[in-house]
Structure formats: structure tokens, C-alpha cells
Amino acid sequence: MNLSIITIFPDLLGKFLSTGNLGRSLERGDIRADVINFRDFGTGNYKQLDDYAFGSGGMLFAAPQLKQALDFAKKGFENNFVLYPSPQGQLLSQELIESLYNQEHLIIICGHYEGIDERFVERYVDLEFSVGDCVLTGGEIPAMALIDSLSRLVPGVVGKSRAVVEDSFYRGMLDNPHYTRPAVWENLEVPEILLNGNEHEIRKWRRSLAVSRTLTRRPDLIARADIRDYISGEIYLALIANENSLETQVFADIERLRVIYGLERPFVISGNRDLRERFKNSGFRILGKFSRILESVKAPEKLLVVKVCDSPEKNSFHYVEVKRKILEHDGAVLFVLSNEKFALDFSCETFGVYLQEDFADLSLSFKAAILFDRILGKR
């Protein structure tokens, strides 16, 4: 990872970059970071960097000096991505961090006073970013936050790579709580499940706590969260089939989706005996009626059924609300797809999900692809 930071406080950035895991990564060469003293590009006897804003207002960093510093920072690199911390910028997120990590060379320009000349921003800045809805005295603190977050993605910076994957926001979810010794402190005990040594139960508990924390503290994250690993039970798919909607290609497409999203072996429900006979060797479970599904799923009394609706209907929800309901559910989930109206012939907790307009005209495999991208898709 290659970084250049343009700042009027190089000592501040220098101390930050020489500390802890980040400092050791710089020594090893895992990260290259150049701190550029913006004052070196000042003009006149007083090395002037700023000037009064036209109209009214405070002082701004001037465009000519910024351009000189930027040209210096770009030397030796073909592909540069210029960042400017600003209250008007895009909110920093894990997704943005991961995207920036893939750039060859990041240049961060730390502003001060009222900011920098807008003409420079328009011509040379690729992205403005913000660390929150607050105003800071300069861009150094946002720059450090960005660099620290980027560094965690560099192999070797964090001792255990698994810890990066399990961090808050990496999958869009908040992290679970953590505890250390002593087991009892000020009459507060570590949860007993963490002391029993059962890795499977501990992993299940951690995921459950991550779900409850996210739903309680940051429900806004659910829309973009990767929830697949946080669902407590198996995931099933049932297709309501007729001769027009079920073709060999549909089976091939659904099988790919099954592998990608970790689904159980899918069901096909059809009252047509000839159709069931024709596709009996497809690898799918071909059944004559819905109630037979209960014989094939684990803990059928806890099965949650999600009908995919072609249009909004009673007891149907937006997909974000459906993700929330699935996370709250303790048990298996069955998604039901069809190109025709249908009714369930067994009693389970059931609700619908409406995904988009013009959904009715799509093939079953297209419907399934959209469904799982919205509900189970990776970030």
C-alpha cells in the first residue's frame, strides 16, 4: 500500500505512522507512507500557503501551492487517487475503505482553516470523504483514521487475519462483545458459555449477539449487511413449477445459486406427474405438494416461510425488513418462488417479500438470482 499525505503538521503524522503495528509495517516495507510538508511549497518571504476567500469568510489554502505539492507527491507513480477530508465528503465506510485499498497510490490532502480552493477540488480531487457529521480543525485526524483502517487490510499488520474478517462492519454487521480475565469482576461474570470450551456453541453465541447488537444499535446497517453467516438455521428454496416455467436451464442456474449462497438441496413442487417424472433425476427434490416439505426439513415446527411476491400484497415486506425478520428468527428459512398464484397447504409462520416492478415476467432462475442477491448477497 502506497500513501502520501500533504500536511502542515508533518511531525504529527510522523509520530502516528511510527507507532504500533503501523510503524512495524512501515519498517518491514508492507506499507509505504510519505509525509509531505506543505509549508515547503509556500510562496514569498513568509512561505504563504493561504489567502482570503473571495466575497467573505476565512482563509483558504491556495490552488497554485496545492498543485505544486500534488505534482511532487505524484512522482514515481502512474496511477494516483487524490483524497480530501471534508465535511461535505462521502461518509467513510468499510466498503469505501476496501475500495480505496485497491488503489495503487493514495494521496491525502489535509486542509485547514475554511478549507481549500474549490477549483483545485474540482480539477484534481478524486474523492472527498468525511468521518462524521462534525467539523474538525484540519484534515489530519480524518487522514489518520483512514490510514489506520486501510492498514488493517494489509497482510501482516493485524496478527490474526481472522480478526479482520470478524471486525464490526467487515460483513456489514456489528461485532459481538468480548471478555477477558478475571472471570468475575465487580460482581459481573463472564457469560458461562464462553467458559465451557465448546467452540460450536461459542461461535453460535457470538453470531447471535452480533445480530442482536446490530438490530438494536444500528438497524440501518441491515440493508447492506452480509447476513448469510448469521442465519441460525438452514436455508431452503422451493419452486412452484409448471411445464412453461421449468426447463433444464433453470435447474442449472438454480444449482449455481445453491452453491454460491450455501442453500440446502432445493424442492420443486408440481402436481403434474409427468413433469415430476421427467425431472426426477435433476438432483432436486421433486414433490407433489407443499406439505411433503415438512418431512424433509430440520425442525419443521420452527420453519419460516418467505413467499416471493410479484406485486405488493397483504403481509408482504420490503427486502430490508425481511432480512431483519430472518435474523430475528431462530430456525430454518424456506423461500418460495413461482410464476403463478399459489397457496400453502401447511401452517407455518409466513410472510411475503416484494422485490421490484416487472418481476412477474422474469424466469424462475432470474427471480431466484435477484432474491438471493438482495437478501443473502455479499457486500
Side-chain angles (χ1 to χ4, degrees), residues 29-99:
D30 298 333
I31 300 172
R32 172 184 167 181
D34 299 316
V35 180
I36 298 169
N37 190 346
F38 186 36
R39 296 186 189 278
D40 293 340
F41 301 90
T43 59
N45 293 332
Y46 297 100
K47 294 292 184 180
Q48 186 174 354
L49 297 170
D50 58 350
D51 212 331
Y52 290 103
F54 281 113
S56 63
M59 307 293 286
L60 299 173
F61 281 157
Q65 292 92 315
L66 287 166
K67 178 61 165 56
Q68 290 180 39
L70 179 62
D71 289 342
F72 180 83
K74 287 182 175 180
K75 290 180 180 179
F77 296 96
E78 292 185 8
N79 300 302
N80 302 279
F81 196 89
V82 181
L83 294 155
Y84 170 49
S86 162
Q88 292 84 33
Q90 178 179 335
L91 191 64
L92 204 57
S93 66
Q94 186 63 28
E95 291 89 345
L96 179 56
I97 293 292
E98 291 171 30
S99 298

Side-chain angles (χ1 to χ4, degrees), residues 10-20 22-23 26 140 143-149 151:
D11 291 344
L12 176 63
L13 269 298
K15 290 180 180 179
F16 163 71
L17 291 168
S18 63
T19 302
L22 188 54
L26 284 164
E140 283 76 18
M144 288 189 282
L146 172 64
I147 294 167
D148 186 79
S149 190
S151 72

